[in-house]
Amino acid sequence: MTLHSVDLRTTGQFPALLLDYLDQKPTLESFYSIFPTLENAEKAILNKKGFDIEKRKTLVDVLQRQYHGLPFLPDFSVLLKENTFTVTTGHQLNIFTGPLYIIYKIVTVIKLAEALKAKYPDCNFVPVYWMATEDHDFEEIASFHLFGQTHKWTGEHKGAVGKLNPKELEGILKQLPDKPLLFAKAYLENNTLADAVRCYMHELFGRQGLISLDADHADLKRHFLPVIQEELTTSISEKLVTDTTSRLNALGYHTPLHAREINFFYLDHNLRERIVREGNEFKVLNTELSFSESEILQISEQHPEKFSPNVILRPLYEEVILPNIAYIGGPSEVPYWMQLKGVFDHFGVPFPMLMPRNFALYMNGHQYKKAQKLKIDYKDLFLDEIALRKTFIERNTEHVLNLGDQKTAFNQIFEEILTKATAVDQTMHGAVKAEHTRLLNSLKHLEKRIIRAEERNHESEIEQLLTLKNKLFPNGIAQERYDNLLNFYINDPQFIQKLFNAFDPLDFRYNVLLEE
């Protein structure tokens, strides 16, 4: 497999805030801490030096319990060392790994840990997959696309998805071609979705050092208790995020997050609902639960696991309990982390190096040969259908299809006509301009007809081009955001290894992976 790189800006798929961040635009410097390079990682390491040993002990204890019963266990004790740091990515527990880009996240974080180890051999770097076990949006995780068919986990499911019973997926397993034993074992031999995801992620990536963490644990959340209690009593994060968001908006950037007065959910069996303040009472939406301030603070002391951070405070929770120096996120995650810089500063928690994951478009051997035959410039594949047609015709025609020279000459003639006409009668100005516009539109119409005629001359090639485009962007969606890992892994068990060979975590371009 060979690699072709495309600049992110040419793809038209990424927000301006991410692109300007990667270009290190000076006006954005106050919204992050350390720009991600191997050299700059030294600053991030120094920021996490002296990470609380008690937090390290808690982390190791929780991981040992969560991994109990799995084969070839990692040496968690390395996390007790002060020269050990983590690099982290996170995502929801999409069934059967969900869209392909989740695998790209995992490969990126493992590759980053390897690159850091090579640069700083006296330190240890552990890649972490932060499992979003507390998330309650079942619909977002409950389907995946495989070989043109959508498979969906149905039924009524409430509360944190990590607690769901994965054995319900047996029906989907029976429908799959070449029943994947990896997922059959994970889903049918575990009692919670969190355990099942850890099982298959460990099978796929455990030997590369990946650790999958379920942070839905009372011992871990006890370290987050000061934040929980300050948020409940002061609503501090809403003020801080609103200020940062206003400054980003003033610079012209769209921001994806909106902070709430209280940025915690109340988490219990089959329940994850927002906590809201009404007067002197704290209520849990869509329930009868209601607490005074003293009562809810007492609950937080006794049961910190009942307080589940939303997207505003989840990144802070991660950085509080992990000796983390870098976070790898998607094109929306990196911008929303930048909205949170003020929250980190307020609580005195070091802001990690913030990095986008690797992005990729994979072309199998047949698709690659077709692209070669059509002489495609790979960046053109990101164009919409109309622009792709136009670009292809312009590149392959033997004729001059535009009437640019003629329109220029036409405009000059009408300037002369306008001068002569208005010299005779100033009221002729409008009539001449109107005729100019009418005839210019006729020229534009003729130009389109010429282009369409040339398209007919290349009809077969254009049809092949659009067929290829639709295969690589199913339903108009980027391949990595639609297709599932099994689309490639079933026929090529070396697919993940090929990703490891191709990806560079610090090369912030779009990878076009070509199977020759």
Side-chain angles (χ1 to χ4, degrees):
M1 187 163 66
T2 58
L3 172 67
H4 182 87
S5 298
V6 176
D7 186 88
L8 295 187
R9 285 189 182 273
T10 67
T11 68
Q13 295 194 355
F14 298 94
L17 182 50
L18 172 65
L19 297 172
D20 287 350
Y21 167 66
L22 294 178
D23 287 344
Q24 301 183 65
K25 195 169 182 179
T27 52
L28 293 176
E29 288 178 355
S30 64
F31 299 99
Y32 62 94
S33 178
I34 301 166
F35 189 78
T37 67
L38 285 179
E39 292 70 27
N40 288 351
E42 184 175 3
K43 301 174 188 176
I45 291 169
L46 291 173
N47 284 344
K48 282 288 187 173
K49 280 282 189 182
F51 186 76
D52 189 344
I53 184 60
E54 292 304 316
K55 292 180 181 178
R56 289 183 181 272
K57 289 178 180 178
T58 301
L59 179 62
V60 169
D61 179 63
V62 169
L63 286 169
Q64 287 174 335
R65 281 184 274 172
Q66 291 183 349
Y67 270 76
H68 178 72
L70 289 178
F72 56 91
L73 291 181
D75 179 13
F76 295 120
S77 66
V78 72
L79 287 162
L80 297 172
K81 299 179 179 179
E82 65 174 10
N83 66 336
T84 296
F85 305 93
T86 60
V87 290
T88 303
T89 192
H91 205 80
Q92 295 159 297
L93 308 186
N94 298 66
I95 62 172
F96 296 86
T97 74
L100 192 56
Y101 73 84
I102 296 173
I103 299 300
Y104 294 169
K105 277 186 168 185
I106 302 298
V107 174
T108 305
V109 78
I110 293 171
K111 291 279 288 186
L112 178 61
E114 293 173 351
L116 288 166
K117 181 63 177 178
K119 178 70 174 178
Y120 303 97
D122 293 336
C123 295
N124 306 304
F125 301 93
V126 178
V128 173
Y129 167 42
W130 180 284
M131 301 191 294
T133 59
E134 297 178 39
D135 191 87
H136 63 276
D137 195 335
F138 175 75
E139 288 299 317
E140 286 198 7
I141 71 159
S143 64
F144 69 103
H145 308 289
L146 178 62
F147 300 136
Q149 184 176 356
T150 298
H151 298 274
K152 188 172 178 62
W153 186 1
T154 58
E156 288 292 324
H157 300 85
K158 296 181 179 179
V161 298
K163 305 292 189 188
L164 299 180
N165 185 351
K167 294 181 176 66
E168 294 182 20
L169 293 167
E170 184 174 10
I172 293 179
L173 280 164
K174 291 178 179 178
Q175 299 172 22
L176 300 184
D178 302 321
K179 182 179 177 180
L181 295 179
L182 169 71
F183 293 107
K185 175 181 173 61
Y187 289 137
L188 302 182
E189 296 182 10
N190 287 283
N191 295 320
T192 69
L193 186 60
D195 288 342
V197 173
R198 181 185 301 104
C199 177
Y200 69 66
M201 283 295 185
H202 186 58
E203 181 71 24
L204 288 172
F205 300 107
R207 290 178 176 82
Q208 285 80 26
L210 182 74
I211 289 175
S212 298
L213 174 64
D214 177 2
D216 181 10
H217 198 286
D219 292 347
L220 293 172
K221 285 191 177 174
R222 194 162 297 283
H223 290 297
F224 202 50
L225 187 57
V227 176
I228 294 173
Q229 295 186 336
E230 185 169 348
E231 177 72 4
L232 290 171
T233 56
T234 69
S235 299
I236 185 62
S237 58
E238 181 186 32
K239 302 179 183 71
L240 296 168
V241 173
T242 299
D243 174 68
T244 304
T245 299
S246 296
R247 291 192 290 124
L248 283 167
N249 292 161
L251 292 171
Y253 296 109
H254 167 74
T255 46
L257 292 190
H258 172 71
R260 299 188 182 278
E261 183 182 11
I262 296 174
N263 291 283
F264 279 100
F265 292 91
Y266 192 83
L267 189 64
D268 211 336
H269 182 66
N270 290 333
L271 175 69
R272 188 180 188 244
E273 292 284 355
R274 282 176 50 210
I275 301 170
V276 297
R277 188 200 303 269
E278 294 184 8
N280 295 322
E281 294 294 307
F282 292 82
K283 296 186 176 183
V284 180
L285 289 182
N286 301 312
T287 74
E288 299 298 320
L289 295 173
S290 179
F291 313 101
S292 67
E293 182 174 296
S294 61
E295 287 172 336
I296 201 166
L297 290 177
Q298 184 178 13
I299 293 171
S300 70
E301 290 277 358
Q302 296 172 348
H303 298 286
E305 72 276 10
K306 290 184 180 293
F307 295 83
S308 176
N310 70 0
V311 67
I312 296 291
L313 289 177
R314 191 273 306 158
L316 184 69
Y317 177 39
E318 171 191 301
E319 297 301 315
V320 165
I321 66 172
L322 291 176
N324 200 53
I325 64 166
Y327 183 79
I328 290 171
S332 296
E333 284 179 283
V334 171
Y336 83 59
W337 272 72
M338 295 174 73
Q339 288 181 256
L340 307 178
K341 179 62 163 52
V343 176
F344 278 78
D345 291 345
H346 173 81
F347 287 103
V349 177
F351 198 74
M353 289 196 304
L354 195 54
M355 297 173 53
R357 62 173 173 82
N358 282 122
F359 306 99
L361 174 67
Y362 174 81
M363 300 177 67
N364 62 32
H366 173 74
Q367 292 164 341
Y368 172 73
K369 290 175 183 176
K370 183 64 65 178
Q372 288 291 97
K373 180 181 177 183
L374 294 170
K375 299 178 182 178
I376 290 173
D377 187 328
Y378 296 110
K379 71 176 185 296
D380 294 342
L381 289 169
F382 295 91
L383 297 171
D384 62 44
E385 183 175 319
I386 294 173
L388 182 58
R389 282 174 173 269
K390 182 174 182 292
T391 301
F392 180 82
I393 291 299
E394 289 174 349
R395 185 172 290 133
N396 291 278
T397 186
E398 297 177 356
H399 310 285
V400 178
L401 302 179
N402 71 76
L403 300 179
D405 292 344
Q406 289 74 23
K407 283 186 280 189
T408 298
F410 177 80
N411 288 332
Q412 291 173 347
I413 290 171
F414 256 82
E415 282 298 319
E416 295 173 9
I417 293 172
L418 182 63
T419 299
K420 288 185 177 182
T422 53
V424 175
D425 184 350
Q426 282 292 329
T427 63
M428 293 285 290
H429 186 280
V432 174
K433 280 291 186 183
E435 192 64 17
H436 180 198
T437 300
R438 185 183 70 82
L439 293 174
L440 188 60
N441 285 336
S442 294
L443 278 180
K444 291 177 180 177
H445 179 67
L446 285 172
E447 186 177 60
K448 289 179 181 178
R449 291 188 63 181
I450 293 170
I451 292 171
R452 283 198 295 268
E454 182 67 345
E455 285 184 2
R456 288 193 293 272
N457 294 335
H458 293 271
E459 186 173 352
S460 174
E461 295 154 287
I462 290 175
E463 185 176 336
Q464 294 175 49
L465 174 61
L466 295 181
T467 298
L468 177 61
K469 162 81 174 178
N470 291 331
K471 287 284 188 182
L472 298 174
F473 292 81
N475 290 345
I477 300 171
Q479 178 196 68
E480 62 170 29
R481 306 192 71 84
Y482 188 89
D483 282 340
N484 178 261
L485 168 67
L486 293 176
N487 281 275
F488 312 95
Y489 189 72
I490 285 176
N491 295 321
D492 183 4
Q494 294 302 308
F495 179 73
I496 291 177
Q497 184 56 51
K498 291 176 180 179
L499 298 179
F500 276 110
N501 295 340
F503 283 179
D504 176 351
L506 291 155
D507 184 349
F508 307 131
R509 293 179 293 175
Y510 210 111
N511 300 293
V512 180
L513 308 175
L514 308 170
E515 200 74 72
E516 297 184 16

